[in-house]
Amino acid sequence: MICCLFGTSFTALAIAQDKPWHLGALNDAAPSAIQSFNIKPGPFPVVVAVIDSGVLAAHPSLSGQLLPGYDMLSAPNNLRGNRSNNSSPDERDARCGQRLVSGAFRTHGTEVASLIAGNGVDGVYGVNPTAKILPIRLFGACNMTRADMLDAISWAAGLPVAGVPPNPNPASIINMSIAGGLAVCGADLQQVINRVVEKKIFVVAAAGNNFHKPLPEPANCKGVISVGALDAENKIEVYSALDSRTTLYAPGGGKRLNGNSNWAVNKLKVATFDLDFLGQERASAPFRGVGTSYAAPVVAGFISLWLSHFPDKQTSDFANELPKFLRTVTPIDKCPECSPKGVTAEAGMP
């Protein structure tokens, strides 16, 4: 009897630990959870562009979730030669000169995509498992150019890009888990963002992991939904950008927290690839996501879940309805002018 009770308890613990705490899947919900886990997506499909390192389509947690994408990285920074319809990342051991691309860099886009639209395999649940991901590769072993970024945003929105075939699946939401550009949004980038927003397309960008400094590009551009990172306890993470202009904060993970709660792991469960003991790359689903790069797709997924029920809603509607999705985040003394807000689906979702 003791054996059976122990086995049942151990199994229950394993199941609980395998659920996405950031979505509110646990009985003891994390204070920063967005409470979307039990909300079924609506009947309307939503396309979310992930402008990132590319997506590895073979991961079972993304099976059926990907649309044909594009590699927007141009020569000479593209190790494959030039732009193409191959939106997968560079190979694991790829080099740009003497620079070796890291495994984390290679799988970044895959992990981001899984937070938006993971299908639940291996416990990787996206906020909206019915969303379709449009993967657009912007960087690899070699650095991207600013022109590539502008073209990637334009193509994601269905705008024409010279020398590139038209996008047959324009996105309703564009996720950019990248940061580190200019301290003030450049006129060229703002112009592209304006054109995209005029098409009623949402642009979501990571606030940046700059340790409480102001927002960099693209998060500092007008019309962009900038997203900072929270820990599971609803506190702004030490690495997150800190700026009164930050639109929202969402779970982004960090170091393990004290206590025995299942959410004390404080990292987001993502679809990724690791090397096994034979050195072969294998699909995995660890609690590993840490950064504003991972907070941004939580918000992009949240908006896609909302649009799956209300497909005619626009960016202005979200701005008007945002107050009902907000909850207070623990304020921080370092930014007295900040009024940080998190997002929750407890009200305003069907």
Side-chain angles (χ1 to χ4, degrees):
M1 187 67 175
I2 294 176
C3 171
C4 295
L5 287 173
F6 178 80
T8 301
S9 176
F10 181 81
T11 300
L13 177 62
I15 292 173
Q17 289 178 334
D18 199 44
K19 291 184 176 180
W21 62 265
H22 65 285
L23 302 184
L26 305 176
N27 290 331
D28 58 332
S32 67
I34 68 169
Q35 302 298 341
S36 66
F37 187 72
N38 293 317
I39 297 176
K40 293 182 179 180
F44 301 100
V46 180
V47 176
V48 184
V50 172
I51 299 177
D52 213 285
S53 65
V55 175
L56 291 159
H59 201 289
S61 300
L62 289 173
S63 178
Q65 309 301 83
L66 303 180
L67 295 169
Y70 209 78
D71 180 359
M72 204 59 71
L73 193 60
S74 59
N77 293 339
N78 193 323
L79 298 183
R80 297 195 281 255
N82 213 327
R83 294 175 172 178
S84 72
N85 60 4
N86 180 1
S87 58
S88 62
D90 282 331
E91 296 301 317
R92 178 172 286 270
D93 296 325
R95 289 183 178 272
C96 183
Q98 296 302 309
R99 178 187 174 197
L100 176 68
V101 63
S102 71
F105 206 62
R106 164 175 159 77
T107 58
H108 190 267
T110 305
E111 295 166 5
V112 167
S114 72
L115 290 169
I116 298 169
N119 59 21
V121 174
D122 295 328
V124 178
Y125 292 89
V127 185
N128 178 10
T130 65
K132 295 301 180 184
I133 298 296
L134 178 68
I136 302 174
R137 191 172 88 114
L138 180 59
F139 54 87
C142 299
N143 291 327
M144 67 180 182
T145 68
R146 192 171 182 86
D148 291 340
M149 178 177 66
L150 300 178
D151 284 349
I153 298 170
S154 298
W155 192 82
L159 297 172
V161 175
V164 177
N167 175 6
N169 300 293
S172 297
I173 304 161
I174 298 172
N175 185 88
M176 301 182 70
S177 287
I178 56 176
L182 301 176
V184 177
C185 184
D188 54 350
L189 178 56
Q190 188 63 66
Q191 184 179 32
V192 171
I193 295 293
N194 290 346
R195 292 183 67 196
V196 170
V197 173
E198 285 171 2
K199 292 190 65 177
K200 315 304 181 186
I201 296 170
F202 294 82
V203 181
V204 180
N209 303 336
N210 61 12
F211 294 87
H212 291 183
K213 291 183 174 63
L215 295 174
E217 286 181 328
N220 62 14
C221 296
K222 293 180 181 178
V224 171
I225 298 172
S226 53
V227 185
L230 300 173
D231 67 10
E233 292 180 331
N234 200 38
K235 298 175 182 176
I236 298 173
E237 280 285 4
V238 64
Y239 59 76
S240 180
L242 188 63
D243 194 309
S244 61
R245 297 171 295 173
T246 304
T247 312
L248 293 168
Y249 287 84
K255 67 179 183 180
R256 182 174 178 83
L257 302 173
N258 296 327
N260 297 320
S261 297
N262 289 314
W263 43 262
V265 62
N266 198 35
K267 292 176 175 60
L268 277 61
K269 190 174 180 64
V270 295
T272 192
F273 284 82
D274 290 308
L275 296 180
D276 63 18
F277 68 97
L278 295 175
Q280 300 296 313
E281 196 170 59
R282 304 293 183 190
S284 60
F287 283 94
R288 179 180 296 169
V290 174
T292 60
S293 285
Y294 299 94
V298 172
V299 170
F302 183 92
I303 296 172
S304 79
L305 181 62
W306 179 65
L307 288 178
S308 75
H309 291 278
F310 308 108
D312 296 327
K313 296 286 189 180
Q314 302 177 1
T315 50
S316 58
D317 296 314
F318 186 73
N320 292 333
E321 296 185 29
L322 188 56
K324 68 183 179 184
F325 297 125
L326 297 179
R327 56 174 175 69
T328 302
V329 167
T330 304
I332 190 165
D333 292 339
K334 189 174 180 180
C335 187
E337 70 276 17
C338 292
S339 181
K341 301 295 182 184
V343 64
T344 175
E346 287 182 309
M349 287 280 190

